[in-house]
Amino acid sequence: MRVLHLSNHCIFGNGNVHAAVDLACEQAKQGHEVFFASSGGDFENLLERNGVRHVRIIHPNKNAPWIAFPAAFKIYQLCRIEKIQIVHAHMMTGAVLGWAPTRLLGVPLVTTVHNAFDKHAVLMGLGDRVIAVSAAVAKTMERRGIPKGKIRTVLNGTLGSRRMTGPLADIAPLSHPAITTVCGLHDRKGVRYLLSAFEAVHAQYPQTHLYILGEGPQEQEYRSIAAASTGSANIHFLGQVRDPRPYLKQTDIFVLASLQDPCPLVIPEAREMGCAIVATDVDGIPEMLKIGGAGLTVQPKNVGELYEAIGRLVSSPSYLETQRALSSSNLEHFRITRVSDELMQIYREISPQ
């Protein structure tokens, strides 16, 4: 099948982009003719090395909305010349840009809803099929007026992707018990609540260390909160890393304190590395944990529950090992091959060819 993926860009650090790049590379590996149109970025070389043809199409933004017309025309030309059979948009801009060309050419448009909480996510309903990355996202989109008959749920999975191959890099040893989070440093990820919970954990278990991987607009605020904490010497901001696996491999407990999170890719990545998991009971997170019965869930913004869950693991080495074993079980469902297979089935469902 000849597939065109649309993304605003292919820059590292955006979960939507990571999921789209992983999928495109896997589809090419399975023998499909795959194109990826974006404004460019870090993953261009990776895409090309894996048989995906990257096409530079500058997407519009709030500062240059007029670019929409030439961008849509380029998508039309690409679809016509390359005889594209499916256009798959991973962001709202791509859904809008791809709609007119696909209507004119009779090509099915598929959209993936990665961020249902965004008020503009309803635009993903322009697709002939709307892919929800979790059942929670599917319910949200249905409540927002997207016809149920259009929606299909394909749970995120990233294990085995071409983006995450090769041996693990050597890093400095982490101190144990090592508690790690990998996330953007902004309010939606709930880092402030994790910092508060860690202060309580550290007060009772002073040997614990917290490692924060990521960057974002609230970083300085979180650093200030950490500096004022009684456990400040044991809180480490490591910045954004291209491959978190070496850190996760040394981690005892992975924590994700999100307030909203449709289906975070880092959950299966942490599970693959054998981390015990503590995460909030929001959106797609419990769906990613119930496979294999892994993890402890807590309510968002609840510092007390976070403290109790982390403390339960730190205080009992045997329980910690049990949870780590559960995390490592039943991981096949999180492989990128399963995601690709399910999406190809949906493509064929709507493709006229």
Side-chain angles (χ1 to χ4, degrees):
M1 189 168 281
R2 301 176 71 81
V3 182
L4 169 62
H5 292 278
L6 299 178
S7 176
N8 292 11
H9 56 80
C10 56
I11 297 172
F12 169 78
N14 182 301
N16 302 7
V17 170
H18 293 181
V21 167
D22 290 349
L23 175 61
C25 290
E26 180 61 28
Q27 289 174 339
K29 179 183 175 184
Q30 293 182 3
H32 301 284
E33 293 291 327
V34 185
F35 300 78
F36 197 104
S38 82
S39 300
D42 306 289
F43 291 122
E44 288 184 57
N45 290 336
L46 176 69
L47 289 164
E48 294 285 351
R49 286 199 308 271
N50 285 279
V52 179
R53 179 180 161 190
H54 182 268
V55 181
R56 184 70 68 90
I57 296 180
I58 306 300
H59 283 52
N61 55 55
K62 63 182 179 181
N63 296 320
W66 58 85
I67 297 176
F69 297 103
F73 182 66
K74 287 182 180 179
I75 291 169
Y76 171 85
Q77 287 182 307
L78 182 60
C79 290
R80 182 175 57 81
I81 293 169
E82 298 296 344
K83 297 180 172 56
I84 298 297
Q85 295 169 275
I86 292 285
V87 174
H88 190 155
H90 296 268
M91 297 181 182
M92 288 168 281
T93 303
V96 174
L97 291 177
W99 184 80
T102 56
R103 298 313 89 178
L104 290 170
L105 294 167
V107 176
L109 175 64
V110 174
T111 60
T112 292
V113 183
H114 295 280
N115 295 328
F117 52 81
D118 192 308
K119 65 181 180 180
H120 298 117
V122 69
L123 292 171
M124 303 307 269
L126 291 170
D128 298 293
R129 289 294 181 270
V130 178
I131 309 302
V133 295
S134 64
V137 169
K139 291 177 182 177
T140 297
M141 297 310 291
E142 190 176 345
R143 286 196 300 269
R144 297 183 70 178
I146 306 302
K148 186 175 182 179
K150 277 189 174 188
I151 301 172
R152 302 289 183 272
T153 300
V154 179
L155 193 71
N156 272 342
T158 189
L159 304 187
S161 75
R162 305 307 298 170
R163 188 175 47 83
M164 303 283 277
T165 57
L168 302 186
D170 291 328
I171 62 169
L174 304 187
S175 297
H176 296 276
I179 302 164
T180 300
T181 192
V182 181
C183 64
L185 301 186
H186 50 76
D187 284 339
R188 185 169 57 83
K189 293 296 186 176
V191 176
R192 68 178 69 251
Y193 304 102
L194 173 56
L195 288 168
S196 296
F198 179 76
E199 183 169 25
V201 169
H202 182 265
Q204 186 168 359
Y205 307 101
Q207 73 275 27
T208 54
H209 284 253
L210 174 62
Y211 296 90
I212 299 173
L213 280 66
E215 61 182 25
Q218 266 69 57
E219 180 173 351
Q220 289 307 313
E221 179 185 354
Y222 297 155
R223 284 181 176 273
S224 296
I225 293 172
S229 168
T230 55
S232 59
N234 287 24
I235 301 174
H236 315 276
F237 287 83
L238 302 182
Q240 193 172 64
V241 298
R242 291 298 294 249
D243 185 354
R245 293 178 302 161
Y247 298 90
L248 295 172
K249 187 69 175 177
Q250 293 193 41
T251 292
D252 298 297
I253 304 166
F254 175 80
V255 182
L256 194 62
S258 300
L259 312 185
Q260 296 173 301
D261 225 326
C263 198
L265 299 178
V266 72
I267 291 286
E269 292 168 2
R271 289 188 59 176
E272 183 183 37
M273 293 296 104
C275 304
I277 309 289
V278 175
T280 45
D281 187 9
V282 297
D283 300 329
I285 290 177
E287 296 173 49
M288 304 194 91
L289 293 177
K290 74 177 182 181
I291 297 171
L296 305 178
T297 57
V298 301
Q299 292 304 303
K301 300 184 180 181
N302 194 316
V303 173
E305 285 191 18
L306 262 178
Y307 158 71
E308 289 175 6
I310 296 170
R312 186 179 176 192
L313 292 165
V314 171
S315 65
S316 174
S318 61
Y319 185 61
L320 175 63
E321 287 309 307
T322 297
Q323 285 297 315
R324 295 185 73 161
L326 288 171
S327 282
S328 299
S329 66
N330 294 324
L331 295 179
E332 281 304 306
H333 195 74
F334 297 112
R335 300 194 70 80
I336 188 63
T337 50
R338 187 269 310 165
V339 176
S340 178
D341 290 344
E342 290 186 13
L343 284 167
M344 292 308 302
Q345 184 176 346
I346 294 168
Y347 291 174
R348 294 187 182 101
E349 176 185 311
I350 56 176
S351 176
Q353 303 177 44

